[in-house]
Every structure is written in C-alpha cells, then in structure tokens.
Amino acid sequence: MDYIGIGEMIRKGGVYKDVPGSTTDEIYQNISKIVNLPDGMTSEQLYNALCAREHVLSTAVGNGISLPHARSPIVKNENDQRICVVYLKEPISMNAPDERDVFVMFVLLTQNSQVHLKVISSLATLFRSPKFRKALELKAGEAELSELIQELA
C-alpha cells in the first residue's frame, strides 16, 4: 500500500467535519450514521465494531489523532475498503500516549489484517510529517489531503 492507495481510500471514505459527541460511543454513533458505507454494511454493524475495539484499548495514537477500526475485518470486497477522515466538533480525551485530546479520526475499513497493517504503517509515516499534521489541524478537506499525500509520497 502506497500513499496513493491511502488517498484513494480517503476519497472512497470521505472527509467529515464538525462531528459532535462528548464520548467515543456518541461520536461512533454519529460517524456510523453519516459516513459512506460499503454495500451490505449497516450503520449498526459499524457502530458495534468500533465500540467493541475501543472498549478493549484506546485507538488514539498521539498528536490529536485516533485510528478507530474493527477488531476483525468487516469489509468483504477489496474495492469497498476505505478510510473516513472525521474531524470532531470538540476534541475529546481518549487516553492518548501523549495525553493530547483527539480532534481527528481516521476510521479504517479494511478487508484483511495485511492491508490493515500496511494502511496503519503508511498513515504513521504521514503523521510524522509536520506539514501533514498542520493540514489536519486546519481541517484539510479531501482534495487538500490527497494533494499533500501525493506530495509526500
């Protein structure tokens, strides 16, 4: 998985701004109702999968970023894989390693653990870029994120 693959997954998943909620459960409930889901997946399935994983261990990775995902793959077809970028209306505490409140979530919907790990690795590399993190802080849209991903590739 290269950065261009990440850009395509974000295009499929979409970018959502000002998603409300004061707890992860509330936020996941709101996310599951607004994101573009693959055929055959219900908002309830997504909500339950995200909550189940979050209750095991926080998906916050630091720098105000979280990577919500299911404990096991919930996407059946490779073409249905996506990343939904969700900017929160108000940052929330998610027990991040650096103790920063989370303001943006990259919701990962992948087909298998190999792809999942490659996506996380690529995102981790992007998150190390000060320019990319600054774009997230400014709530960059899909086009801006795609351009930046191509630039950093």
Side-chain angles (χ1 to χ4, degrees):
M1 177 73 47
D2 55 17
Y3 292 147
I4 288 122
I6 295 292
E8 176 63 17
M9 289 178 78
I10 290 172
R11 189 191 64 70
K12 285 182 181 180
V15 175
Y16 306 86
K17 296 184 179 181
D18 296 325
V19 174
S22 57
T23 67
T24 54
D25 284 6
E26 286 177 16
I27 290 166
Y28 294 158
Q29 184 71 54
N30 291 326
I31 288 172
S32 67
K33 290 177 184 173
I34 62 169
V35 298
N36 179 21
L37 295 173
D39 288 341
M41 182 184 294
T42 67
S43 59
E44 187 176 346
Q45 286 173 315
L46 177 60
Y47 171 74
N48 289 335
L50 295 179
C51 288
R53 170 59 183 84
E54 195 67 44
H55 292 172
V56 172
L57 184 67
S58 175
T59 57
V61 296
N63 289 311
I65 303 166
S66 174
L67 298 173
H69 58 277
R71 291 182 70 189
S72 57
I74 57 173
V75 174
K76 301 205 182 337
N77 300 314
E78 183 178 346
N79 290 338
D80 286 336
Q81 298 181 115
R82 61 198 66 205
I83 300 169
C84 306
V85 180
V86 179
Y87 294 103
L88 304 182
K89 186 170 187 170
E90 296 293 331
I92 65 163
S93 173
M94 290 181 63
N95 300 314
D98 63 0
E99 299 181 5
R100 281 190 62 189
D101 286 352
V102 168
F103 70 91
V104 63
M105 297 179 167
F106 283 72
V107 180
L108 310 179
L109 302 179
T110 54
Q111 180 189 26
N112 61 55
S113 55
Q114 290 84 4
V115 171
H116 181 80
L117 292 173
K118 287 179 181 177
V119 167
I120 288 177
S121 175
S122 292
L123 287 173
T125 301
L126 288 170
F127 297 159
R128 283 194 289 273
S129 163
K131 190 172 185 178
F132 193 80
R133 289 196 313 269
K134 183 67 172 172
L136 293 177
E137 289 171 9
L138 296 173
K139 297 187 177 185
E142 181 187 314
E144 291 172 85
L145 290 175
S146 291
E147 283 178 31
L148 198 48
I149 290 166
Q150 287 181 4
E151 179 185 319
L152 295 170

